[in-house]
Amino acid sequence: MLSIDDARARVLGAITPLPSETVPIGQSVGRVLSADVVAASDSPRFDNSAMDGFAAAAGAPGRTLKLIGEARAGAPFAGRVGPGEAIRISTGAQMPADGQLGVLPLELATEAGGAVTFNDELTPGRNVRNAGEDLRAGATVLTAGTPIGPAELSVAINAGAGSVQCALRPRVAIVNTGDELVQAGAPLGPGEIYDSNGPMLAAMATLTGAEVISVGVARDDATATRDAIENALAADVVLLSGGVSVGPHDHVKPALEALGVREVFWRVALRPGKPTWFGSKDERLVFGLPGNPVSAYVTFVLFARPALRALQGADPVAPRGSARLGQAVERHAARDECIRVSIADGVATPTGPQGSHRSSSLAGADALAIIPRGEGTLAIGEQVAIEAL
Ligand code: AMP
Ligand code: MG
């Protein structure tokens, strides 16, 4: 059986990054840049005041200056500020063009009868934010492959971008197999359970920048499973859950074979998630994830999420960190185990019982701690690799 890393390397080896498109900047959050963002102009664009106060030439404390006007944010002062003169100025207002002025904050000045007394020394450039000190015209401010969040959005806009080049969103189709599955909230018949994998995987894919084009349930029947997968193959990435083991009602593998989806691997030396299947047809990727909710979650994180990121040209996985175990953990002899942990002060504490059907172990988890296979127990305080969720 493949290790986690070998299986992931095979997934990444099957990827051809998607083409790109122009996206209005306001709609770019959650997407991945496919070209660098270069500042079109300096930011700030002009020297401006960092404070509400008075702008004047430099000078010693105790001066009384004549107030000759005002500069407000968005409304510069048009004239010159000569010796013995000052203007009122607001935070963000453009500095007058006359050379070496500074800004004295309101609280250090006393205003009376059209004049202002400066109660402190004013040095040139005091409380002035200089043009270009944030972003320089022509500088690369964001690089291709960067996922766009609110911070990157702000930087791109300040750099003058009205739109950005982004990778196309991977189109994802989800098929959940199982006769027992019922839609969330509906009444349950005997032996039935809710389909939690469908909505969960759809949410995970969407949060990874994908466009989920369909989510459905396929009955445990050879024809139904094949038809559902055939329809799903319209997408760039197909996520299947359940039916990928060797039971008499597991129809996923034969259906994939019949549809010409080439197997890259089946089974990983991993707990939970041993029966994970991965294959491709042309440039389409197909993940057969195990049905247990925790297994589906963990194998999405380990294999499908890196693939969705790589399709968009982003780094597939953040570098692994490490943490000390907050609790002793028994090792599995033959498979590496991914336990759900919360992280605080460098300590990884399991979120609760770790059975692959216990979705409660997912709530409150910050990371997967990777417990290498082997004999015996990893003691409390042992250092383990962790992968952020
Ligand atoms: P399977 O991989 O089909 O053998 O399913 C393994 C376990 O996961 C069984 O207990 C299933 O009932 C459960 N399961 C399968 N699919 C889902 C789903 N979509 N949502 C929640 N549980 C599921
Ligand atoms: Mg099943």
Side-chain angles (χ1 to χ4, degrees):
M1 266 191 280
L2 289 176
S3 69
I4 297 171
D5 288 347
D6 288 345
R8 182 138 75 188
R10 292 194 190 192
V11 169
L12 296 177
I15 282 169
T16 309
L18 293 167
S20 66
E21 64 180 345
T22 305
V23 178
I25 188 68
Q27 288 160 33
S28 67
V29 168
R31 308 281 299 257
V32 177
L33 283 174
S34 52
D36 293 350
V37 174
V38 174
S41 58
D42 282 349
S43 181
R45 282 186 92 94
F46 44 84
D47 293 352
N48 67 93
S49 177
M51 304 286 269
D52 291 324
F54 300 93
R63 293 180 295 155
T64 297
L65 306 168
K66 186 177 172 210
L67 273 174
I68 60 161
E70 182 177 23
R72 296 167 53 170
F77 175 69
R80 291 182 44 87
V81 182
E85 295 174 342
I87 58 166
R88 245 182 223 101
I89 196 160
S90 321
T91 304
Q94 182 164 3
M95 291 297 291
D98 338 50
Q100 297 285 308
L101 303 188
V103 172
L104 197 71
L106 277 180
E107 39 294 17
L108 296 179
T110 315
E111 194 189 328
V116 58
T117 302
F118 279 16
N119 303 319
D120 196 12
E121 187 193 353
L122 186 61
T123 49
R126 181 172 173 188
N127 295 316
V128 175
R129 306 189 290 208
N130 292 118
E133 73 177 33
D134 179 20
L135 309 172
R136 252 309 151 216
T140 298
V141 297
L142 296 168
T143 52
T146 301
I148 306 173
E152 291 74 20
L153 172 84
S154 168
V155 171
I157 291 173
N158 289 327
S163 61
V164 283
Q165 282 298 114
C166 293
L168 292 184
R169 288 180 179 281
R171 297 165 70 251
V172 169
I174 299 171
V175 178
N176 305 285
T177 69
D179 284 338
E180 71 277 36
L181 301 179
V182 170
Q183 195 191 339
L188 292 172
E192 292 181 336
I193 64 164
Y194 292 118
D195 166 24
S196 59
N197 289 345
M200 177 189 76
L201 292 170
M204 294 176 96
T206 303
L207 289 173
T208 315
E211 179 194 348
V212 175
I213 59 172
S214 63
V215 188
V217 166
R219 299 288 139 208
D220 287 324
D221 157 272
T223 311
T225 302
R226 201 181 54 233
D227 289 351
I229 298 176
E230 187 167 24
N231 288 333
L233 283 168
D236 301 310
V237 176
V238 177
L239 300 177
L240 308 168
S241 83
V244 78
S245 298
V246 289
H249 307 293
D250 291 336
H251 300 286
V252 164
K253 274 166 41 70
L256 289 165
E257 196 181 331
L259 291 165
V261 184
R262 189 180 56 87
E263 178 179 310
V264 176
F265 64 78
W266 176 49
R267 299 210 285 207
V268 181
L270 163 67
R271 183 161 86 165
K274 175 176 154 191
T276 304
W277 190 99
F278 172 71
S280 65
K281 181 171 185 178
D282 308 321
E283 305 210 318
R284 279 156 296 171
L285 309 177
V286 180
F287 293 86
L289 307 180
N292 273 305
V294 179
S295 312
Y297 188 99
V298 167
T299 53
F300 179 93
V301 168
L302 293 178
F303 306 117
R305 189 168 72 184
L308 293 173
R309 287 184 176 156
L311 283 167
Q312 299 171 84
D315 278 346
V317 273
R320 276 188 192 144
S322 71
R324 279 172 289 123
L325 273 180
Q327 193 173 299
V329 176
E330 188 129 3
R331 298 163 76 165
H332 189 282
R335 288 185 272 152
D336 297 336
E337 182 160 10
C338 285
I339 58 174
R340 280 72 67 209
V341 294
S342 61
I343 307 273
D345 299 329
V347 175
T349 305
T351 44
Q354 297 281 323
S356 61
H357 62 298
R358 291 187 186 260
S359 63
S360 56
S361 70
L362 296 171
D366 303 310
L368 300 175
I370 302 169
I371 310 296
R373 65 191 104 159
E375 297 306 321
T377 298
L378 276 196
I380 188 167
E382 289 256 23
Q383 208 72 23
V384 288
I386 56 164
E387 193 147 322
L389 286 175

